[in-house]
Amino acid sequence: MVGESLKFFQNVHPKKGEQPTYQGLAFTGSSGEDYATISLLPLANGRGSVLILQGLQQEGTEAAGLFLGDAGNRKKLQEDLGISGSPAQPVYLKL
């Protein structure tokens, strides 16, 4: 059953200070940390992009949305990733 299964993100190429896996909350409503991915993918026709927010639980998805809702957070994230302007290639982010 998906609702009761172990959920985690696997960090295939962890950098210094990163974990190989990020396991979040056991279930929605429990206390602790949860994680999310943020992906910005270009449309096949080159006329726009799609933003995908995916938390391990509802709390992670909500936190990713709140994080991106703040202009300062978006600017800092772009700077940390070395991205300026609108990137031509997909950018995959894991928070």
Side-chain angles (χ1 to χ4, degrees), residues 10-94:
Q10 184 174 357
N11 188 353
V12 180
H13 301 288
K15 295 178 183 173
K16 184 177 180 180
E18 294 180 345
Q19 301 174 36
T21 58
Y22 289 87
Q23 182 177 338
L25 300 172
F27 52 89
T28 294
S30 60
S31 63
E33 294 181 344
D34 203 37
Y35 299 95
T37 61
I38 301 171
S39 303
L40 182 62
L41 306 171
L43 293 176
N45 65 9
R47 300 178 68 191
S49 53
V50 175
L51 178 66
I52 301 171
L53 306 179
Q54 173 190 356
L56 291 172
Q57 297 289 355
Q58 292 174 357
E59 291 84 351
T61 305
E62 180 180 1
L66 292 171
F67 177 85
L68 290 176
D70 180 86
N73 286 342
R74 290 191 308 272
K75 185 175 191 289
K76 174 85 169 92
L77 182 59
Q78 241 184 327
E79 290 170 358
D80 289 348
L81 294 171
I83 300 168
S84 61
S86 297
Q89 297 297 317
V91 177
Y92 301 96
L93 313 173
K94 293 185 180 181

